[in-house]
Amino acid sequence: MEDLVTGYPRLACRFCGAPLSHVFVDLGASPLANSYLEPEDLRRAEAFYPLTVYVCGECLLVQLPEAERPEAIFSDYAYFSSYSESWLRHAQAYAAAMINRFNISAGGGHQVVEIASNDGYLLRWFKERGVPVLGVEPAGNVAAAAAAAGIPTTVRFFGEATARELVGEGVRADLLVGNNVLAHVPGLNDFVTGLKILLALNGVLTLEFPHLLRLMAEDQFDTIYHEHYSYFSFVTVRKVFAAHGLTLFDVEELPTHGGSLRIYARHDEDASKPVGERVTALLADEEAAGLGRLETYRSFGERVERVKWGLLRFLIDSKEAGKSIAGYGAPAKGNTLLNYCGIRTDFLDYTVDRSPHKQGRFLPGTRIPIHGPDRLRETRPDYVLILPWNLKEEIVEQMADVRSWGGRFVVAIPEVRILE
């Protein structure tokens, strides 16, 4: 249905279908955050898409209208999870905790299935214990890395149809895992329906995703990009799963990605897993923070503008003082930050990244070159702007020799801070 004023198709909430009219934040236009450029691409124009986020006036789901189909984003993907040591440790700890808590064992006939399993970074820890695993990963290039590591992986996008196909092949998940995938699906109801179908009768589903409460409290607007279609509070994600016959019986607040939730779900009919106190406590915390009221969401855009002004002020002052500035990392969040703030090589000479899949390429939109970490040691910049600020401790430790020439690390979120 078209909007009578604009003539464009009317936007509707991807969960409840209500019309979308309330803007959460407008970050202008930006290219796809993981569409890194090859040198030959620099002679061609890039596609930019609106980066305007809405909040549903009915269910309060914060969401980005679909600008590009998932097939265009995720079929060939530049992010490989195994290049972050802290993320590998996180996955290893998760596997140990789930095995202990839910008595998952090689001899128990259990199956662990991960949706968006990337390069096998998580399933490897279950496989080491002899537990049967299966990864479902849409990006063929990333799935190939998992297969090379001995992790059985099927290359498919996940939803109701894929879940029915897997069940038809004899797959049912006793532990169904999805880390940082829920935000990546435009067909939210289709995806959750698939989870319901694939989950074994007494199985456990865990999902991790950035927590909207933390995004808002710490002005983490750079975690908004076209690959992230939805931004979840606990109260809203609980509504989504309840609508599909799934009960959230536990929740953990995690430090990953600037503050994430790990939710635990079961079938409504499974009375063996009672709803725990952490569910009640988090619902109360979000209510106290105002996430149940539409007006709470209206001030976010103004706070984002202040973050932009602060970063540009620092960069301009540093450049006028003759300082050199480089970046560390080439994450999607960095591309949102740099494009929204209009930062190019006039401010940031280059950036570096440990992933060889990004080295030698250029950041989308800003066209800042990506080098290996040794470039920092060769050029010795005065400041190193850490773009994946959620990994700042790991990066400062890995690149401790930056301080040997007087270089200093900087983060921009939630405000500009020089790390001591």
Side-chain angles (χ1 to χ4, degrees):
M1 182 181 295
E2 290 187 352
D3 187 290
L4 296 178
V5 176
T6 66
Y8 292 109
R10 184 173 295 171
L11 298 174
C13 175
R14 64 171 41 92
F15 168 53
C16 73
L20 291 178
S21 59
H22 304 285
V23 173
F24 176 63
V25 66
D26 185 351
L27 299 177
S30 183
L32 299 179
N34 279 298
S35 57
Y36 299 92
L37 304 176
E38 302 292 348
E40 59 269 23
D41 295 330
L42 298 180
R43 296 189 296 271
R44 293 190 282 268
E46 294 175 68
F48 280 64
Y49 304 88
L51 201 53
T52 305
V53 185
Y54 295 83
V55 56
C56 176
E58 296 297 322
C59 69
L60 300 179
L61 175 63
V62 173
Q63 57 199 283
L64 187 66
E66 185 178 333
E68 184 58 272
R69 293 295 302 157
E71 290 80 2
I73 298 175
F74 299 112
S75 294
D76 185 81
Y77 207 45
Y79 179 73
F80 288 70
S81 296
S82 292
Y83 287 101
S84 170
E85 292 177 7
S86 62
W87 191 241
L88 280 177
R89 291 194 298 268
H90 175 75
Q92 184 179 18
Y94 166 84
M98 296 304 104
I99 286 170
N100 291 333
R101 179 172 178 179
F102 299 112
N103 299 314
I104 297 171
S105 65
H110 297 122
Q111 170 115 49
V112 177
V113 180
E114 184 182 11
I115 310 302
S117 50
N118 202 264
D119 57 8
Y121 74 102
L122 183 145
L123 292 178
R124 61 188 273 193
W125 305 111
F126 290 98
K127 187 172 184 288
E128 281 187 4
R129 304 279 194 103
V131 178
V133 299
L134 175 67
V136 182
E137 169 57 50
N141 64 318
V142 181
I151 305 299
T153 305
T154 180
V155 182
R156 314 187 208 187
F157 281 90
F158 186 78
E160 180 178 357
T162 296
R164 293 193 185 282
E165 290 169 7
L166 290 172
V167 170
E169 295 164 12
V171 178
R172 293 300 290 269
D174 300 286
L175 176 62
L176 184 53
V177 190
N179 287 347
N180 300 303
V181 61
L182 188 63
H184 288 228
V185 291
L188 181 60
N189 289 313
D190 177 69
F191 184 83
V192 180
T193 296
L195 297 176
K196 169 78 172 174
I197 291 168
L198 190 56
L199 186 64
L201 186 61
N202 293 306
V204 173
L205 162 67
T206 75
L207 295 171
E208 294 180 21
F209 48 84
H211 189 190
L212 180 63
L213 179 66
R214 298 261 56 83
L215 183 154
M216 294 176 67
E218 299 173 23
D219 299 336
Q220 298 170 1
F221 71 90
D222 59 340
T223 59
I224 295 170
Y225 38 93
H226 296 102
E227 290 89 329
H228 282 175
Y229 296 103
S230 303
Y231 304 82
F232 295 98
S233 65
F234 186 59
V235 66
T236 297
V237 80
R238 189 164 171 257
K239 290 178 188 174
V240 173
F241 279 78
H244 294 276
L246 293 166
T247 297
L248 303 190
F249 67 91
D250 196 8
V251 60
E252 290 181 74
E253 296 179 80
L254 307 173
T256 53
H257 298 288
S260 296
L261 294 182
R262 176 186 292 154
I263 59 173
Y264 294 75
R266 58 162 169 84
H267 291 291
D268 287 349
E269 303 80 9
D270 179 8
S272 66
K273 303 173 186 70
V275 176
E277 294 179 357
R278 292 192 289 199
V279 169
T280 307
L282 185 53
L283 289 171
D285 288 347
E286 289 195 347
E287 179 64 28
L291 293 192
R293 302 188 302 275
L294 186 61
E295 54 268 24
T296 302
Y297 298 83
R298 298 187 190 277
S299 64
F300 187 68
E302 296 176 4
R303 301 207 310 271
V304 166
E305 289 178 352
R306 287 196 289 271
V307 175
K308 175 178 180 175
W309 301 338
L311 176 57
L312 289 174
R313 191 176 301 116
F314 166 78
L315 293 173
I316 292 169
D317 290 347
S318 298
K319 282 295 187 180
E320 289 183 340
K323 304 294 185 182
S324 56
I325 310 167
Y328 189 101
K333 59 165 54 75
N335 291 327
T336 292
L337 175 73
L338 298 175
N339 277 290
Y340 172 64
C341 295
I343 295 167
R344 294 174 174 78
T345 51
D346 50 350
F347 286 122
L348 210 62
D349 299 338
Y350 60 86
T351 193
V352 302
D353 199 277
R354 293 182 67 199
S355 172
H357 302 280
K358 296 180 181 180
Q359 294 167 11
R361 304 169 87 181
F362 295 79
L363 298 182
T366 62
R367 304 191 167 200
I368 294 169
I370 308 168
H371 299 284
D374 284 345
R375 181 74 171 180
L376 292 177
R377 301 179 179 98
E378 295 166 3
T379 64
R380 301 190 166 198
D382 297 297
Y383 293 110
V384 177
L385 176 63
I386 297 177
L387 297 174
W389 45 262
N390 53 302
L391 301 176
K392 59 182 179 291
E393 289 85 3
E394 175 182 338
I395 291 165
V396 168
E397 182 179 343
Q398 288 173 353
M399 304 298 298
D401 55 340
V402 166
R403 301 186 190 282
S404 68
W405 63 79
R408 307 178 78 181
F409 291 99
V410 182
V411 292
I413 304 292
E415 60 186 2
V416 173
R417 185 159 58 93
I418 298 173
L419 303 181
E420 299 301 335

